[in-house]
Amino acid sequence: MLFNSIDFAVFLPTVFILYWFAANKNLKFQNLLIVAASYLFYGWWDWRFLILILLSTIVDYSIGLGLSKEKNKSKRKTLIFISILLNLGFLGFFKYYNFFQNNLIAAFTSLGIELNPRSLNIILPVGISFYTFQNLSYTIDVYKEKLEPTTDFIAFSAFVCFFPQLVAGPIERATNLLPQFHTKREFDYSKAVDGLRQILWGLFKKMVIADNCAEYANLIFNNSADYSGSVLLLGALFFAFQIYGDFSGYSDIAIGTARLFGFDLMRNFAFPYFSRDIAEFWRRWHISLSSWFRDYLYIPLGGNKGDTWMKIRNIFIIFIVSGFWHGANWTFIIWGALNAIYFLPLLLLNRNRKNLVIVAQGKYFPTIKEIFDIGVTFSLTVLAWIFFRAENVSHAISILVEIFSKSLFTMPYFEGWDNASAIKILIPLFIFIEWSGRENQYAIERLGLNWPRPVRWAFYSFIIFSIGMFMQTTETPFIYFQF
Amino acid sequence: MKNFIKSILLFISFSIVVYLLLIIFWGNYIPGEYKKNLNYEIGSNGHMYSRLQNIKDVNNVDILFLGSSHAYRGFDPRIFNRYGLNTFNLGSSAQTPTQTEILLKRYLDEINPKLIIYEVYPATFLSDGVESSLDIIANDRNDFESIRMALTQNHIKVYNTLIYGFYRDIFRTNINYKEEIVKGDDTYIEGGFVEKKLQYFEPTEFDEEAWYIKDQQLKAFEKALLLIKKRNIPCILVQAPITQAKYRSFSNNGEFDDIIEKYGAYYNFNELIELNDELHFYNSHHLNQNGVEIFNTKLIEMLFVKKESTNAQ
């Protein structure tokens, strides 16, 4: 079930009413309803995926209980090893089997050896990368004794399959989300209203900004051989706004939906395109994944401790693994490596924690230097997105070669450019609103709160109208669902 | 919680009013390129406005034609007149069975034809019907059937355009509108036909593809036929010719014919007459006036033969 579908527009109010009117008497009912609704939500794609998520829930719940009872260090190690092996095993099989098989065949073929292995038609279960990592955070935290294992199977199931963030995050930490399933939720008016506001802004980002940018990004990337460097650069810019609008829009809808049910999910985006360096960008982009890798991979590897080579090794590992997490394609690996290259100088010069607060805090405008830094960071990011979006590595390279040619200095023109008037206005308007609200959790969190109610409501209604006027007429899935 | 529900209901009501007002404002004052999901074009392609104005003077015709542009560009009332047949053409751009059903509900009793010739172009059975709905909303009066059509279509562009259409109807803003008889290469001919200035098709190759039929359109087709049947009006289903290059690019023409034949007398003129792609068409799937002449004459001959054989029986 997509957040931007009629199905979800019926599903959400129905579950909301049942949750607060029928199941509000006791915690067990609340959690049970969340599990039932989440299974319905997830099974809407393909009921067979439910078996996998149920299996994953049972395994990690049991391992959590096992870890709580077991004091023997080596047995505890075995248990956590089993959890990691099973979780990553599921993920590896469903997501990476074909990738490894194809690369193995290619490697052997280059050596003159023909391989004819059985090919499997594996369907990637939606959201597997997200809930696998969330489950791992639970067993690892229990293993490290940062968290008491839960004995409430329903609460744990609800933690694993909580529908707002099940398919594309934010990847929650058990330490943050699980305790919320152990406490009865009480309805909070302002929290619910804030949730709705965040959902509205998320829908605008997805349906107006991302989907309209996607139209042009797809056109340009899918016919890249026909276009000049300037048009290809424009395509990369469209993709930059598409992926930001799409994924941060999804996260806003997820966080807002969770707030309607009384939950606080972690923040996933913090205006990343206003970052002044790549380190800041990675503190603001897909925060739940970046911090997951930081806590469960980077720090255990030694983090920024040790000699220079160790630091370089760790940075490359975390970025390449992060790239590979996105998909079984060399393009994602190169995207990750490229970001590692961007990041390294900052780390080695000890300047990676220079920009910790949002740019131009308390001011209307940034300084010239800040504008320059934001511009450089954004440009680097856009170039890296080319690998993320391209079909394969040679496609990405051909685009980059054209961008860094004389044709970059031609006037960009492609079929449909003259009809792109709306997006030419919508993107600057979107940047303006994001800039105005950059000190908040999301752009319109506090926008208009001091205005008279009719004016504020008219503003929200205008956002709804913009969605109705500019949305794509076919349902478009979120990009991160494929991961 | 009660306050929350109350506020939500209040906001929804407020928002609906603002949405309606903004649609009116947008429709009236904002340039076309910023109206992605509002497409109200009175007097749009196909002279639908003139055709529907023309209907007021029409009743008790011999033949009523229905269908897409293949109908309003394919059945020329002047040719039928030569044979003493009084006809009216109610074809419209990309008319799918969904819109045919609505037009029949609105006009069938008024026109009261003795025979209906329903042009069944396979593409209209796989279309979502949005283009045709917008054409009808902008050029015809809107009523409860328009709402039903929008709900069937469930498309944001149809909803927005219908809201604006209702506003235009209620405030009678189209009352002074006059559609040009000649628009570019098109000339409107009394009786619903649109004549294209004589042009010729330049042959090209088409990729192989296949027709498929949407359930929603097939159901609407059945409903439209039922409306006709209830009034005991004989109906002939016809597929107007398209270029052979285009026609042969579809691998399952026979399958389509098999489906349509189940619904009554059906003639696929792609198989019945020989036309030349370069001489008798102005594009891959529209006849030019030379082609219309041959097609209509053949159809009339067949109608007379059919009539004679019926009389003989």
Side-chain angles (χ1 to χ4, degrees), chain B residues 16-78:
Chain B
I16 288 171
V17 173
V18 173
Y19 196 97
L20 299 180
L21 292 174
L22 280 169
I23 287 280
I24 295 166
F25 174 79
W26 225 256
N28 282 339
Y29 302 110
I30 302 295
E33 62 262 39
Y34 301 103
K35 294 187 205 169
K36 186 178 161 94
N37 290 331
L38 198 170
N39 190 1
Y40 186 93
E41 272 187 76
I42 187 163
S44 51
N45 199 17
H47 283 89
M48 187 61 171
Y49 184 82
S50 300
R51 188 171 300 112
L52 295 173
Q53 293 301 309
N54 204 177
I55 267 189
K56 290 171 189 163
D57 315 319
V58 173
N59 54 41
N60 301 324
V61 296
D62 295 314
I63 304 173
L64 170 69
F65 300 108
L66 300 168
S68 64
S69 56
H70 290 198
Y72 73 74
R73 292 185 188 278
F75 302 111
D76 186 343
R78 294 168 300 186

Side-chain angles (χ1 to χ4, degrees), chain B residues 109-174:
Chain B
D109 292 332
E110 238 174 276
I111 300 172
N112 191 29
K114 293 189 182 75
L115 171 72
I116 287 176
I117 292 184
Y118 187 164
E119 203 282 330
V120 283
Y121 181 44
T124 60
F125 284 80
L126 57 88
S127 160
D128 59 9
V130 170
E131 184 191 335
S132 179
S133 294
L134 299 176
D135 190 25
I136 289 175
I137 289 168
N139 293 295
D140 201 359
R141 61 170 191 261
N142 289 296
D143 54 17
F144 182 73
E145 283 303 324
S146 315
I147 298 173
R148 219 173 58 85
M149 175 179 74
L151 290 171
T152 313
Q153 226 94 71
N154 196 22
H155 194 285
I156 188 71
K157 203 180 266 188
V158 178
Y159 288 129
N160 287 342
T161 308
L162 182 60
I163 294 169
Y164 188 65
F166 271 120
Y167 151 76
R168 304 268 303 199
D169 288 353
I170 292 165
F171 290 91
R172 299 164 70 89
T173 53
N174 296 338

Side-chain angles (χ1 to χ4, degrees), chain A residues 53-127:
Chain A
I53 205 165
L54 182 65
L55 194 65
S56 203
T57 308
I58 294 169
V59 166
D60 289 317
Y61 174 75
S62 311
I63 286 177
L65 286 181
L67 284 168
S68 73
K69 286 173 194 156
E70 194 54 68
K71 299 293 169 214
N72 181 300
K73 269 191 175 178
S74 67
K75 284 185 180 168
R76 286 173 62 80
K77 263 192 182 164
T78 310
L79 281 172
I80 192 66
F81 180 73
I82 291 170
S83 170
I84 293 171
L85 193 73
L86 282 176
N87 278 298
L88 294 184
F90 286 146
L91 183 62
F93 176 74
F94 284 101
K95 193 162 177 172
Y96 301 107
Y97 178 88
N98 286 334
F99 174 78
F100 283 118
Q101 189 190 53
N102 294 341
N103 279 282
L104 201 68
I105 294 169
F108 273 92
T109 308
S110 67
L111 295 172
I113 305 164
E114 285 295 317
L115 287 184
N116 293 306
R118 278 171 70 105
S119 64
L120 298 176
N121 184 19
I122 300 168
I123 307 167
L124 180 68
V126 183

